[in-house]
Amino acid sequence: MNKIKLKGGHLSLPELNAIFTTIPQEFDVLDENDIVVWSSMNEHRIFPRTEKDIGKTVFKVHPGHSQGRVKAVLKQMHEGERNSISINIHKDGQPLNISFYSLHDDNGKYLGCVEVTQPVKSYQVKGSKQPVKSYQVKGSKWCNLLNMIHKK
């Protein structure tokens, strides 16, 4: 069985496929031109992807209301102004975290982006008595706006 050499070791293709069909997070990988080149196709997906989505621009697989924000984040990544962003939203009453990570080769060249989506309800603290301001609420428009402005 052929192994794929990676930093940190090696994995077979069946092992890689098993990893991404087992873990509950969903992954979408975009190339340097914002084309979807790979998506995890697991049963846990909140935003379904099919083989037909591979080769499309990221803007064709995202709903219209989010395209402007996605475009702004990717522009910042292309220009080297941002390496990541994490936002929280609600879909069908379920709190979700969506993170974008800029991908670079060993020489720092921009290769694309990976988008990771996961439900976060089980991570939220229940019963906290600390007062929370609206701009601190994870998933609030103010919190997400502050994340867009603050570049990491």
Side-chain angles (χ1 to χ4, degrees), residues 55-110:
K56 292 181 180 178
T57 68
V58 68
F59 310 110
K60 290 193 177 178
V61 300
H62 277 80
H65 67 272
S66 67
Q67 289 180 9
R69 291 182 296 251
V70 171
K71 191 175 280 190
V73 167
L74 290 174
K75 181 178 186 288
Q76 293 170 349
M77 288 183 169
H78 280 274
E79 295 172 354
E81 296 175 6
R82 177 185 296 280
N83 288 319
S84 67
I85 186 170
S86 183
I87 62 170
N88 295 290
I89 66 166
H90 283 81
K91 181 179 188 311
D92 302 327
Q94 179 178 8
L96 305 174
N97 175 265
I98 304 173
S99 297
F100 292 83
Y101 300 97
S102 182
L103 303 174
H104 301 270
D105 68 12
D106 290 338
N107 298 316
K109 179 185 176 222
Y110 180 76

Side-chain angles (χ1 to χ4, degrees), residues 2 18 20 38 51 69 72 75 85 96 123 142:
N2 290 336
F20 290 112
W38 180 82
E51 293 290 333
R69 291 182 296 251
K75 181 178 186 288
I85 186 170
L96 305 174
Y123 301 121
W142 285 110

Side-chain angles (χ1 to χ4, degrees), residues 32-50:
E32 68 276 5
N33 298 309
D34 304 328
I35 303 295
V36 179
V37 295
W38 180 82
S39 289
S40 59
M41 303 282 179
N42 63 44
E43 64 186 51
H44 310 286
R45 285 199 71 103
I46 297 154
F47 298 104
R49 297 281 184 262
T50 68

Side-chain angles (χ1 to χ4, degrees), residues 97-149:
N97 175 265
I98 304 173
S99 297
F100 292 83
Y101 300 97
S102 182
L103 303 174
H104 301 270
D105 68 12
D106 290 338
N107 298 316
K109 179 185 176 222
Y110 180 76
L111 299 175
C113 172
V114 62
E115 178 182 355
V116 182
T117 302
Q118 67 179 340
V120 293
K121 185 173 185 165
S122 63
Y123 301 121
Q124 294 182 336
V125 178
K126 294 181 181 171
S128 175
K129 298 192 191 263
Q130 292 286 66
V132 178
K133 304 207 177 356
S134 64
Y135 64 85
Q136 295 173 312
V137 175
K138 297 240 181 247
S140 75
K141 288 181 182 177
W142 285 110
C143 182
N144 289 335
L145 180 62
L146 290 173
N147 279 338
M148 291 283 295
I149 295 168

